[in-house]
Amino acid sequence: MLQNSKAFSSFSVDDVEKAKDFYQGLLGIEVKDNPMGVIELVISGSANVLLYPKPNHVPATFTVLNFPVENIDQAADELIAKGIKFEIYNEEYFKTDSKGISRGNGGPNIAWFRDPAGNILSILEID
């Protein structure tokens, strides 16, 4: 029944204007205003992602949006230069390096950061 549906993702933010500035101004993603008071992230090759305001917003405790990149070090350096701070993990079985990149932890090289609403985003290296 839903296998041919054009599904899309959405998540809440506490301030749509801050989100728009972050995603468009800092990350360089095209942002469309939607007449319903929401914004849409226009990501090439993907369905638009809907961000909606929620007064009692609580950031997700999981990754809500992943950005595949060809070179994670280059992407991380570019984002760090723009002021992005990556999450640093130093758990017994899960560590990131000084940039915040997880390498060789059983998955792809990946680094997590947060948007102004505290939502978790990632860049992950693709082969």
Side-chain angles (χ1 to χ4, degrees):
M1 178 173 123
L2 298 178
Q3 66 270 23
N4 295 320
S5 175
K6 295 191 187 260
F8 64 94
S9 180
S10 67
F11 55 92
S12 70
V13 296
D14 55 357
D15 186 318
V16 171
E17 285 306 312
K18 279 185 186 176
K20 185 175 181 179
D21 290 345
F22 176 81
Y23 286 96
Q24 185 169 276
L26 199 59
L27 299 186
I29 296 170
E30 180 185 349
V31 175
K32 286 177 33 179
D33 289 309
N34 185 302
M36 297 184 303
V38 301
I39 58 174
E40 295 179 46
L41 305 181
V42 180
I43 301 173
S44 179
S46 297
N48 290 0
V49 178
L50 189 71
L51 277 62
Y52 58 91
K54 186 175 178 194
N56 59 348
H57 166 77
V58 176
T61 58
F62 52 86
T63 309
V64 298
L65 193 56
N66 297 286
F67 295 99
V69 296
E70 291 182 17
N71 183 319
I72 197 163
D73 287 288
Q74 179 182 353
D77 289 343
E78 289 175 14
L79 290 170
I80 290 167
K82 292 182 174 193
I84 297 292
K85 294 186 183 342
F86 286 93
E87 301 291 309
I88 302 293
Y89 298 102
N90 192 18
E91 307 298 323
E92 182 178 351
Y93 297 103
F94 185 76
K95 298 184 185 311
T96 56
D97 62 19
S98 60
K99 282 186 189 178
I101 300 172
S102 168
R103 303 173 197 269
N105 282 309
N109 292 341
I110 186 168
W112 295 271
F113 61 104
R114 294 180 184 266
D115 74 2
N119 294 309
I120 301 170
L121 316 174
S122 83
I123 54 172
L124 68 137
E125 194 168 63
I126 56 171
D127 293 328

